[in-house]
Amino acid sequence: ASSPAPLPTGSITPSENLDAIAVSDADVPEITVPAPWAISSTQTKVLRDSSNPQVVGAEAKVTINYVGVNGRTGTVFDSSFQRGKEATFSMGKGVITGFKNGLTGQKVGSRVLIGMTGADGYAQGNPQAGIEAGDSLVFVVDIIAASYDEATGEAVTPAAGLPTVTMTDGKPELTLPQGGINADQLVVQPLIKGPGAEITADSSITVKYRVWGAKSGKLIQEGWQPQTGKLSALINGWKTGLLGQTAGSRVMLIVPAADSYPNGEPSKGLEAGEGVVYVIDVLDVNAAAS
C-alpha cells in the first residue's frame, strides 16, 4: 500500500477546544501547549471564577495580567507577569480581535484561558514576537479591573419631589415636577449604586452625563459619551456632589446656578440664576497619578 502523502510543513490539524492546554494554578501561570497546536475557532474557558458581578464590556478600559504563548512553538512570546507591570488598555481601540472577543462578557476578578485563531490574533504575523501568519495564540489572563460601559448596580429609590429619570435608547430623559425645581441648594440623589471604587477629592473619573435646566427641563448639554477628567478641575457642584460616589453608579445632581452656570446659557434656553439637573454615569474611578 502506498503511504499517505506527507502534510505540507506548517499545517496543523486545528483543535475544536482548549482541552489539550494545561495551565498551572500558580499566581504566575505556567502554560503547557502540545505544540505544534492550533484552534479552529476563538474561545474562552474560565480557569478561576469570580464572585464579582461586573463583566468586561465591549468598550471597557481593562487592567489585566497575562501570559501569551505561540501555539505553533509552545513558547511564551509575551508576559506582563515577567515585566512586573499590569497592562491597561481600551477594548474599543486597536485591540486584536481574539482579545476583544475573548474578554468581552468575562467577569472582573476571574482568570481565563483564551485560544485564538491566527486570523483573530496577528493575521499578518508579528516577526518581532516570532509569530508567523496563521499561528494560533494562547493567553492566560487575570482580569484585574475594568471600567463600566454604563451604570450597573443596585437601584436606589429617589426621594419624593425630585425629577424622574427614564432611560430611552440607552440615554437618560428627565421629567420635572410641575413648575420645575428650585435649584437653590445642591441635591445628590444616587439612582444606581455601583459596586466600584469610591471617588475621592484627588480622583480622576470617567463619566458620561446629560444636563437640563431645572426650571425649563430643556436639555442644555449632551455629554453621553465617555470622558475623563480630574474631579478637582470640575465645577463645584461635581466636586462636592460626587465625593464618595462609586464606579458603576448613576447619580442625579441638582446644582444651583452659582455652582454650575452662573450666567445661565441663554443660547440654549438656560436663564441666568436657573440651576441645572445632571444625570451622570460614573464609568471609572482612578487614584490620582502619583
Side-chain angles (χ1 to χ4, degrees):
S2 63
S3 57
L7 290 169
T9 312
S11 83
I12 309 165
T13 304
S15 270
E16 297 289 316
N17 56 44
L18 294 161
D19 294 354
I21 310 294
V23 182
S24 75
D25 195 35
D27 284 344
V28 178
E30 297 271 333
I31 308 171
T32 310
V33 176
W37 178 91
I39 197 154
S40 54
S41 63
T42 296
Q43 50 196 276
T44 304
K45 179 175 173 181
V46 176
L47 300 178
R48 289 181 180 172
D49 202 1
S50 166
S51 57
N52 188 338
Q54 186 190 357
V55 297
V56 176
E59 303 296 321
K61 190 179 86 181
V62 293
T63 299
I64 62 172
N65 261 326
Y66 67 93
V67 180
V69 171
N70 186 332
R72 175 177 55 82
T73 63
T75 55
V76 173
F77 66 85
D78 191 10
S79 168
S80 68
F81 289 100
Q82 278 173 1
R83 279 196 295 280
K85 187 167 170 29
E86 298 163 354
T88 297
F89 56 87
S90 173
M91 294 273 285
K93 296 186 180 112
V95 179
I96 57 174
T97 308
F99 239 59
K100 191 172 169 83
N101 294 354
L103 290 177
T104 300
Q106 300 298 327
K107 288 183 194 165
V108 173
S110 64
R111 169 175 285 182
V112 297
L113 171 66
I114 304 171
M116 61 181 78
T117 61
D120 284 352
Y122 294 97
Q124 317 301 316
N126 182 342
Q128 285 169 311
I131 297 168
E132 295 175 4
D135 286 355
S136 286
L137 305 179
V138 178
F139 285 92
V140 171
V141 182
D142 285 351
I143 306 171
I144 296 161
S147 66
Y148 294 83
D149 281 358
E150 61 184 356
T152 309
E154 293 196 18
V156 179
T157 306
L162 294 181
T164 44
V165 177
T166 49
M167 297 300 288
T168 307
D169 298 329
K171 286 186 178 185
E173 299 292 346
L174 194 77
T175 308
L176 291 178
Q178 193 69 38
I181 291 273
N182 280 325
D184 46 12
Q185 58 185 25
L186 179 68
V187 176
V188 181
Q189 176 62 64
L191 302 172
I192 292 174
K193 176 69 175 166
E198 221 171 82
I199 297 174
T200 64
D202 57 1
S203 292
S204 173
I205 60 173
T206 302
V207 297
K208 48 187 184 179
Y209 66 92
R210 301 184 98 193
V211 196
W212 297 264
K215 283 275 184 224
S216 67
K218 285 182 183 164
L219 185 68
I220 305 301
Q221 197 181 354
E222 173 62 85
W224 205 251
Q225 66 279 333
Q227 42 208 298
T228 302
K230 287 191 162 84
L231 187 72
S232 58
L234 304 175
I235 64 164
N236 287 339
W238 282 41
K239 279 186 209 174
T240 310
L242 290 181
L243 276 182
Q245 301 297 328
T246 51
S249 294
R250 177 169 295 147
V251 184
M252 176 164 61
L253 297 182
I254 299 174
V255 183
D259 290 330
S260 55
Y261 295 82
N263 306 312
E265 192 76 55
S267 65
K268 301 200 172 141
L270 184 71
E271 295 180 12
E274 183 181 355
V276 292
V277 181
Y278 288 91
V279 173
I280 304 162
D281 274 15
V282 181
L283 305 178
D284 205 10
V285 176
N286 290 294
S290 49

